[in-house]
Amino acid sequence: MSSFKNILLINFGGIGDEILFLPVIRSVRQMYLKSKITLCLEGRSRAFTQLTDLIDNYFFVDIKTKNKYIEMLKLYFKALFGRFDLVISSGFNPLISLLLFCTGIKTRIGYGSSSIAKRLLTHSVTLNKNQYASKMYYDLAKSISDIPFELPAIKIDSEIQKETNSVLVHPGVSQISIRKNITKTVTAELWAEIILKLLERGKKVYLAGGSDDLECIQKIRNFLKDKDLTNFTDLFGQTKNIHDLAVLIKKSELLLCSDSAPMHIGVAVNTKTAAIFGPTDDSVLLPDNDNFLAVKNNAQCRPCLWAKRQTTCSELACLKFNADEIINKLEKFI
């Protein structure tokens, strides 16, 4: 195991998925300090490169597009000619195991999610989805590293000071969710009401979002118009990249957000984070830790998205809240 010199890690998904994969990256890096590590990820997660200095090289494969078979060929040739002696892949698709077997990479680690995968992988790992996703990913590293990391951590200035009594509100969700018409967050009107409730409690409230969140931010601004906004600052558009957002989250005493990439950044910079959850499963997306809170209601049908269904239902009982309910659930933080 100690002879690994050229390591390939493969993890497809959004930026949140890449942050959740960081314990694998950190563990492998600490175990093999002199090795060259390459990460294969999707193009939509390119900004992740700003959050870590643990990777020597990247390449991007967009296997979820209509050209997925061409993209898989790209992965095959990159892996074949990369002279890798170890590959760790988080994919569940047995085709990935077949593809990696054909590259001739000597040590192949992945989930034994099918009989094909179990035969083609040199280290077949039991897939346990009933745990925090970072721990699920970290299971992949255990066979070649004895350095445990179960929580993600990103590279950021450790000297950043918290602003006392501050709450950063980030209402956005991923653009891919919006395109697929998947609803994972509450209405802009409710976000505006929450902001007003926080201001009534004397909090310094900051509003942030990326370019994908413009429509939601504009609606929030309209709802806040003509209100007393003492101690409120609209920072939309002032974070130029994801690293800037991470710094802003690190400075904040509390992050209030949706189930989204900013939530994972909050965990990775160890800022108190409260995330509003609807149809997704908080137990696999937030660690069991007093610093992190899943704000959810008692809808008996949740969680359903991904585990039971691929689209959001029309009733959205899981996202029925009022502002007072959410503020009450935040009591431990505010």
Side-chain angles (χ1 to χ4, degrees), residues 294-307:
V295 179
K296 54 188 178 179
N297 65 21
N298 295 320
Q300 296 302 304
C301 54
R302 69 166 311 277
C304 68
L305 190 60
W306 312 132

Side-chain angles (χ1 to χ4, degrees), residues 258-272:
S258 308
D259 163 22
S260 58
M263 174 187 74
H264 298 297
I265 294 173
V267 172
V269 298
N270 201 32
T271 287
K272 289 181 179 178

Side-chain angles (χ1 to χ4, degrees), residues 183-186 257-260 263 275-286 293-309 311-313 315-321 329:
T183 304
K184 295 199 299 178
T185 189
V186 296
C257 60
S258 308
D259 163 22
S260 58
M263 174 187 74
I276 298 175
F277 273 85
T280 48
D281 188 350
D282 56 282
S283 68
V284 302
L285 294 170
L286 268 183
L293 173 69
V295 179
K296 54 188 178 179
N297 65 21
N298 295 320
Q300 296 302 304
C301 54
R302 69 166 311 277
C304 68
L305 190 60
W306 312 132
K308 300 175 185 175
R309 56 192 301 142
T311 57
T312 309
C313 71
E315 289 82 9
L316 288 176
C318 58
L319 286 171
K320 302 298 183 186
F321 293 94
K329 290 177 184 293

Side-chain angles (χ1 to χ4, degrees), residues 58-305:
Y58 295 90
F59 65 85
F60 302 92
V61 174
D62 294 316
I63 64 165
K64 296 179 183 177
T65 66
K66 62 182 179 180
N67 298 318
K68 62 181 179 180
Y69 295 112
I70 294 174
E71 293 294 306
M72 287 185 72
L73 274 176
K74 182 197 296 185
L75 171 58
Y76 169 73
F77 285 114
K78 289 278 189 180
L80 178 66
F81 296 114
R83 299 183 181 275
F84 300 106
D85 44 23
L86 164 66
V87 58
I88 300 176
S89 173
S90 66
F92 307 153
N93 191 325
L95 284 177
I96 298 292
S97 301
L98 175 60
L99 182 151
L100 295 176
F101 174 80
C102 292
T103 65
I105 298 174
K106 185 175 181 181
T107 303
R108 303 176 300 280
I109 301 175
Y111 296 116
S113 51
S114 69
S115 58
I116 294 174
K118 288 177 182 177
R119 290 190 184 97
L120 298 178
L121 295 167
T122 59
H123 295 70
S124 174
V125 176
T126 300
L127 175 60
N128 178 8
K129 291 185 177 181
N130 298 316
Q131 58 179 331
Y132 177 46
S134 274
K135 292 185 177 182
M136 178 190 77
Y137 287 140
Y138 176 68
D139 287 344
L140 291 167
K142 287 181 178 178
S143 60
I144 52 101
S145 175
D146 57 7
I147 303 175
F149 293 105
E150 294 188 344
L151 292 181
I154 63 177
K155 180 179 179 289
I156 200 166
D157 186 355
S158 61
E159 301 302 315
I160 293 173
Q161 298 297 310
K162 294 285 184 192
E163 182 176 0
T164 304
N165 209 33
S166 62
V167 180
L168 177 64
V169 175
H170 194 298
V173 294
S174 70
Q175 187 63 26
I176 195 169
S177 297
I178 295 169
R179 286 200 302 268
K180 291 183 176 181
N181 201 29
I182 292 171
T183 304
K184 295 199 299 178
T185 189
V186 296
T187 64
E189 181 177 9
L190 182 53
W191 278 112
E193 291 175 4
I194 293 166
I195 288 170
L196 291 173
K197 295 286 184 183
L198 290 168
L199 291 172
E200 287 173 7
R201 285 183 169 240
K203 296 295 176 182
K204 291 179 280 189
V205 180
Y206 297 88
L207 177 64
S211 57
D212 293 343
D213 309 318
L214 177 59
E215 182 179 354
C216 176
I217 295 291
Q218 292 284 33
K219 288 179 180 178
I220 291 172
R221 287 168 171 168
N222 289 337
F223 286 120
L224 294 177
K225 192 166 52 179
D226 301 325
K227 306 294 184 183
D228 179 5
L229 297 179
T230 305
N231 287 332
F232 172 76
T233 305
D234 185 344
L235 295 177
F236 177 76
Q238 294 189 33
T239 49
K240 303 303 181 185
N241 52 51
I242 198 167
H243 184 268
D244 285 353
L245 176 61
V247 170
L248 186 58
I249 292 172
K250 179 69 174 178
K251 286 180 179 178
S252 304
E253 196 168 75
L254 170 65
L255 168 66
L256 177 60
C257 60
S258 308
D259 163 22
S260 58
M263 174 187 74
H264 298 297
I265 294 173
V267 172
V269 298
N270 201 32
T271 287
K272 289 181 179 178
T273 298
I276 298 175
F277 273 85
T280 48
D281 188 350
D282 56 282
S283 68
V284 302
L285 294 170
L286 268 183
D288 184 9
N289 185 301
D290 288 342
N291 262 1
F292 314 120
L293 173 69
V295 179
K296 54 188 178 179
N297 65 21
N298 295 320
Q300 296 302 304
C301 54
R302 69 166 311 277
C304 68
L305 190 60

